[in-house]
Amino acid sequence: FKSNVNRVYGNIALNYDVTPWLALSARGGMNTYSDFQKNVTVAGGVADANGEVWTNDVTNTEIDLNYLATVTTKFGENIDFRLIAGFNWNQRSYGTRYVVGDGIISRGLYNTDATVTQLSSEFNRLQRFYAAYSDMQLGYKNYLYLGITARNDFSSTLPAANRSYFYPGVNASFVLTDAFDISNNFLGYAKIRGAWTQVGNEATPYRTATPYFLSTPFTTAGGSKFNLASLGNTLGNGNLLSELTTEIEFGADVRLLKNRVALEFTWFKRNSTNQITSTQVPASSGFTRAVVNAGEIQNKGFEVALNFSPIKMKNFTWDATVNFTRIRSLVVDAGEGGDIYVGGLFSSLGVIHRTGLPYGQIFGSANAKTPEGDLLIDKSLGLTILEQTSEIIGDPNPDFTTSLINTFSFKGFSLNAMLDWRQGGDMYLTTASSLLLRGQIKVTEDREALRVIPGVYGNTQTFEPVLDEKGNYIRNTSAITAFDYFFSNGFGAYGADETNIFDITSIRLREISLAYQFPKQLLSKTPFGSARLSLSGRNLWWRAPNILEGVNSDPEVLAESASSNVQGFEYGSYPTTRRFGVNLSITF
């Protein structure tokens, strides 16, 4: 597989001060890339004896323009006033052209036209939005501030009647140290703040209609060809509304010991309504999914950032930052029926939004258990008994995340290291289930010994535990082979889905970088104003202690894109890579 990416991006800004209190500006930017991909499967393999060549040409472009008018003035001696009013225009286009050729004619000649048969497909997407917005800020004596924002968007991805949507916001802050004239070596700065805001969100393109898809023409025995077109399986929504997120936030910023210690705290609650998603519908309707505005999701939590400088010397400094985030999500309302199936491997194994539970729960088949949590075992087989319906089997949301950033500076050198820690959260690992199934990791090494699954005997009809004459559980003593334990309905891919759910607590060395800032006197006789050279490495090391040894699946690799809202699934992904970089930054 080869990928050749060409990227161009840039921006330009024009500013003009009309009067001392009025300034006009125009800003524009573009980011565009082309990715030419080619994949060759050489002939002779078991999976594809004929060989295959495919090419995929991807283009993506985004253009963004902003026109702004800024009014800055004072009312009297104590009140500062600033108003920004503007207009935003944004366009995003995306296209792919895919050609696959099956049956390589000549080994070494890997062109799509040098194959026996070829098929092609093309997809193009275009979307635009316009927006008018304003941001007003009032300041009183440089310690009390009030801000009011308003924005109205017009999106091409929504029905004509619903393309316009408005969302406002208000925020305030109070600098205590300035208001009460506090200034000492211990407390240098203290501020409290609060905000209430709303944010609208458009749909992804082409969700308001149900398109027809063209298929390969049907050829009769006599050679006649008939073009084919069929409706998609997802029913569009001609009355789709924009999403709306409402958030309330409170926070505080404090700096101590001559700014050597800084603490920032934020608490927030965010409610999102009219979520744009697709949900399962009865197949008898002619569709399998439908695009809907559904329910309400709430996220609330807090974030803490602590910055401190343990060492500050003339030539050496050590600065550190600790970030801690704890978020709890809740599906307040999942709409009619109380469930929204989001996606996943199968209709019985995937991600679901269920009223009253956290966002994006993993559901699938589960082993039957006693009220105390013991597994129910089929005495005749020695294997677990599966529940008849899918259950909630995992929560992909972490308990908390935290990161530690250390920066060491010595003369012109600086060393930066970032360490991340994620606690909790579940993931379904297809890689783990497949390796268990095939006996390819250490836990499956002993192939000859018999195994007894810890549990108690259960009734396969009632899904209740079997009791002895004294009313006690009967412990399982039925031994099974390694084949049955891992390959049959045991603990591999063919067992209950819950057996392949793992806690993905992980610690990761996210990045290390070493930089050198060249002294100005060294550049004094050159055309350069400054020069900085840096070496960096990302994703250098990670460990997930609760995943089976030898599986080596990176818990940060998701099976699907973020826009799908499917989290907590891994589909036999490629290993992640370490990235190394060299950067030279020069000014003239």
Side-chain angles (χ1 to χ4, degrees), residues 9 19 24 28 35 42 220 314 332 374 387 449 495 510 540 558 581:
Y9 60 93
T19 68
L24 301 178
D35 184 4
V42 178
T220 66
K314 181 179 180 181
V332 179
D374 293 315
E387 294 281 5
R510 178 75 61 187
L540 300 178
L558 295 178

Side-chain angles (χ1 to χ4, degrees), residues 72 223 353:
T72 306
H353 294 339

Side-chain angles (χ1 to χ4, degrees), residues 91-351:
Q91 176 176 293
R92 283 159 282 175
S93 59
Y94 175 84
T96 64
R97 286 188 294 273
Y98 178 81
V99 179
V100 57
D102 183 65
I104 294 174
I105 296 173
S106 176
R107 188 179 182 92
L109 183 59
Y110 301 131
N111 295 334
T112 52
D113 62 345
T115 56
V116 177
T117 60
Q118 299 88 35
L119 291 173
S120 65
S121 64
E122 184 172 348
F123 172 77
N124 294 287
R125 183 178 68 220
L126 178 66
Q127 65 187 108
R128 294 191 186 103
F129 74 77
Y130 306 89
Y133 56 88
S134 64
D135 179 357
M136 184 187 73
Q137 296 287 331
L138 288 170
Y140 177 72
K141 289 189 175 180
N142 293 325
Y143 65 76
L144 181 61
Y145 299 91
L146 173 67
I148 300 174
T149 62
R151 182 178 173 112
N152 199 102
D153 285 8
F154 306 84
S155 173
S156 67
T157 65
L158 294 170
N162 301 330
R163 283 178 182 167
S164 172
Y165 51 97
F166 174 78
Y167 45 97
V170 60
N171 60 82
S173 62
F174 182 45
V175 184
L176 287 79
T177 45
D178 290 345
F180 301 113
D181 197 22
I182 300 173
S183 180
N184 53 60
N185 291 335
F186 177 75
L187 179 61
Y189 181 82
K191 180 177 76 172
I192 57 175
R193 49 188 167 79
W196 176 90
T197 51
Q198 288 189 325
V199 177
N201 187 34
E202 61 183 344
T204 53
Y206 315 130
R207 306 194 76 177
T208 60
T210 307
Y212 280 88
F213 291 90
L214 298 178
S215 304
T216 303
F218 173 72
T219 304
T220 66
S224 300
K225 291 187 176 182
F226 295 89
N227 294 323
L228 301 178
S230 59
L231 275 174
N233 292 323
T234 300
L235 178 64
N237 187 340
N239 299 309
L240 203 62
L241 299 171
S242 62
E243 295 180 351
L244 183 64
T245 298
T246 304
E247 181 172 351
I248 184 171
E249 177 183 304
F250 297 100
D253 304 331
V254 179
R255 299 172 198 166
L256 308 171
L257 304 175
K258 296 183 177 179
N259 292 334
R260 291 188 62 172
V261 177
L263 178 66
E264 184 175 347
F265 173 84
T266 301
W267 176 90
F268 67 92
K269 186 177 76 168
R270 182 186 303 126
N271 287 63
S272 298
T273 57
N274 289 334
Q275 296 285 286
I276 300 173
T277 185
S278 61
T279 186
Q280 276 187 312
V281 295
S284 57
S285 66
F287 303 92
T288 57
R289 304 189 67 79
V291 177
V292 295
N293 287 112
E296 179 179 356
I297 293 177
Q298 180 185 95
N299 286 281
K300 64 179 179 180
F302 65 88
E303 299 174 286
V304 180
L306 175 64
N307 302 284
F308 57 99
S309 301
I311 300 177
K312 272 192 178 294
M313 303 172 62
K314 181 179 180 181
N315 293 321
F316 178 75
T317 60
W318 171 21
D319 297 315
T321 300
V322 179
N323 293 302
F324 180 90
T325 303
R326 181 183 182 273
I327 300 175
R328 293 292 179 266
S329 64
L330 175 67
V331 179
V332 179
D333 178 16
E336 185 179 354
D339 284 344
I340 296 177
Y341 174 76
V342 180
L345 274 172
F346 313 109
S347 60
S348 60
L349 173 60
V351 171

Side-chain angles (χ1 to χ4, degrees), residues 303-495:
E303 299 174 286
V304 180
L306 175 64
N307 302 284
F308 57 99
S309 301
I311 300 177
K312 272 192 178 294
M313 303 172 62
K314 181 179 180 181
N315 293 321
F316 178 75
T317 60
W318 171 21
D319 297 315
T321 300
V322 179
N323 293 302
F324 180 90
T325 303
R326 181 183 182 273
I327 300 175
R328 293 292 179 266
S329 64
L330 175 67
V331 179
V332 179
D333 178 16
E336 185 179 354
D339 284 344
I340 296 177
Y341 174 76
V342 180
L345 274 172
F346 313 109
S347 60
S348 60
L349 173 60
V351 171
I352 196 169
H353 294 339
R354 176 168 291 175
T355 300
L357 293 179
Y359 173 90
Q361 298 294 282
I362 303 171
F363 81 107
S365 60
N367 290 313
K369 302 178 182 68
T370 68
E372 294 78 15
D374 293 315
L375 292 173
L376 294 186
I377 307 298
D378 182 346
K379 185 176 182 178
S380 62
L381 300 175
L383 295 171
T384 58
I385 300 172
L386 267 63
E387 294 281 5
Q388 289 183 303
T389 58
S390 292
E391 307 287 342
I392 299 296
I393 58 176
D395 182 355
N397 301 291
D399 299 328
F400 65 81
T401 59
T402 187
S403 63
L404 171 63
I405 304 171
N406 283 294
T407 302
F408 303 92
S409 301
F410 177 71
K411 295 186 177 179
F413 290 94
S414 62
L415 176 66
N416 184 282
M418 181 176 181
L419 193 68
D420 283 348
W421 173 20
R422 172 197 170 112
Q423 178 63 40
D426 299 319
M427 179 175 277
Y428 182 92
L429 297 178
T430 301
T431 295
S433 67
S434 297
L435 293 178
L436 284 170
L437 179 78
R438 292 168 173 82
Q440 292 181 307
I441 54 178
K442 189 173 182 61
V443 71
T444 65
E445 231 174 34
D446 188 353
R447 317 250 172 131
E448 303 302 323
L450 296 177
R451 291 165 168 79
V452 176
I453 300 175
V456 300
Y457 290 132
N459 188 311
T460 58
Q461 302 299 318
T462 64
F463 300 94
E464 297 290 336
V466 175
L467 306 178
D468 62 16
E469 63 277 3
K470 295 181 180 180
N472 299 317
Y473 296 151
I474 304 173
R475 306 303 303 181
N476 174 40
T477 58
S478 302
I480 58 176
T481 65
F483 179 88
D484 286 335
Y485 191 90
F486 292 111
F487 191 85
S488 300
N489 295 334
F491 294 90
Y494 299 145

